[in-house]
Amino acid sequence: MIEFIKQPWPWYFSGFMIIAVMLVLIFFGKSFGFSSNLRTMCSMAGAGKRVKFFDFEWKNQIWNLMFLVGSILGGFIATNYLSTPSPLKLSPETIKDLDQLGVRFDGGLNPSSLFSLAAMKDIKTIAILLIGGLLVGFGSRYAGGCTSGHAISGLSNLQIPSLVAVIGFFIGGLIMTFFIIPLIF
């Protein structure tokens, strides 16, 4: 069984699981999104006493917080106990594109030139990660949710604002990939 779990799974399995989650959420009348967990945690810590945005019944969102904890635990277990030591397979074109950006592909999921303790000595890397994190946080709040919330819950409920947000996410990703990242690196 472990060998079955460790092997690469087909791409369509993820699509099937997203549809299954979407249907379960619709059935139970829940909305999904990871960024809403920050609001739940702040409310649990008492931020609702000072800021109206955090003043809500957070106990109704415990299921979403458990999904977040399960995702983190699942990622840890998959990385440390269920992954194979073989390097990630990337196309030669992608490796060439990364080299042109100055990012060396070392076979891992996250390049060590950006995501390692040694990389944290470089002020440019710290600035990229910090500014990127702030932009993602601001964008999630400004858009009224994160990519997963809009793309899974919002689109499954046929919400026009979620369609606009998802289109915006894709346009932003394309602009970042083809215009901004080459300038940064």
Side-chain angles (χ1 to χ4, degrees):
M1 183 68 171
I2 293 294
E3 289 307 314
F4 173 74
I5 293 172
K6 286 176 123 176
Q7 72 181 350
W9 291 9
W11 61 269
Y12 52 82
F13 180 78
S14 297
F16 172 77
M17 292 306 294
I18 288 172
I19 291 170
V21 167
M22 175 191 70
L23 292 173
V24 168
L25 290 172
I26 290 173
F27 180 76
F28 287 106
K30 303 283 187 185
S31 62
F32 172 77
F34 272 96
S35 63
S36 61
N37 285 306
L38 176 61
R39 182 180 184 207
T40 302
M41 289 185 281
C42 290
S43 180
M44 289 171 66
K49 297 173 185 164
R50 297 177 188 209
V51 180
K52 185 162 178 54
F53 176 72
F54 297 115
D55 186 21
F56 76 103
E57 190 57 45
W58 59 266
K59 291 179 182 175
N60 294 334
Q61 290 296 315
I62 290 293
W63 71 272
N64 203 10
L65 195 58
M66 291 300 107
F67 188 85
L68 173 67
V69 171
S71 296
I72 293 169
L73 284 174
F76 176 80
I77 291 168
T79 301
N80 292 298
Y81 302 110
L82 300 176
S83 62
T84 59
S86 59
L88 186 69
K89 296 176 186 173
L90 281 182
S91 71
E93 293 84 12
T94 303
I95 294 172
K96 181 182 169 192
D97 289 343
L98 287 171
D99 282 339
Q100 288 176 349
L101 292 172
V103 177
R104 189 180 149 277
F105 174 66
D106 53 10
L109 186 59
N110 298 317
S112 59
S113 61
L114 293 176
F115 300 99
S116 67
L117 291 177
M120 291 300 125
K121 294 177 184 175
D122 183 17
I123 191 71
K124 182 180 174 183
T125 302
I126 292 172
I128 289 169
L129 296 174
L130 182 64
I131 292 168
L134 290 171
L135 287 173
V136 166
F138 172 78
S140 293
R141 180 67 188 114
Y142 186 72
C146 60
T147 53
S148 59
H150 280 296
I152 296 172
S153 289
L155 290 181
S156 65
N157 288 325
L158 303 176
Q159 295 179 9
I160 298 297
S162 289
L163 178 62
V164 172
V166 170
I167 291 170
F169 297 149
F170 275 98
I171 291 170
L174 291 171
I175 290 170
M176 189 70 183
T177 299
F178 292 106
F179 299 110
I180 299 174
I181 286 181
L183 292 176
I184 293 173
F185 289 104

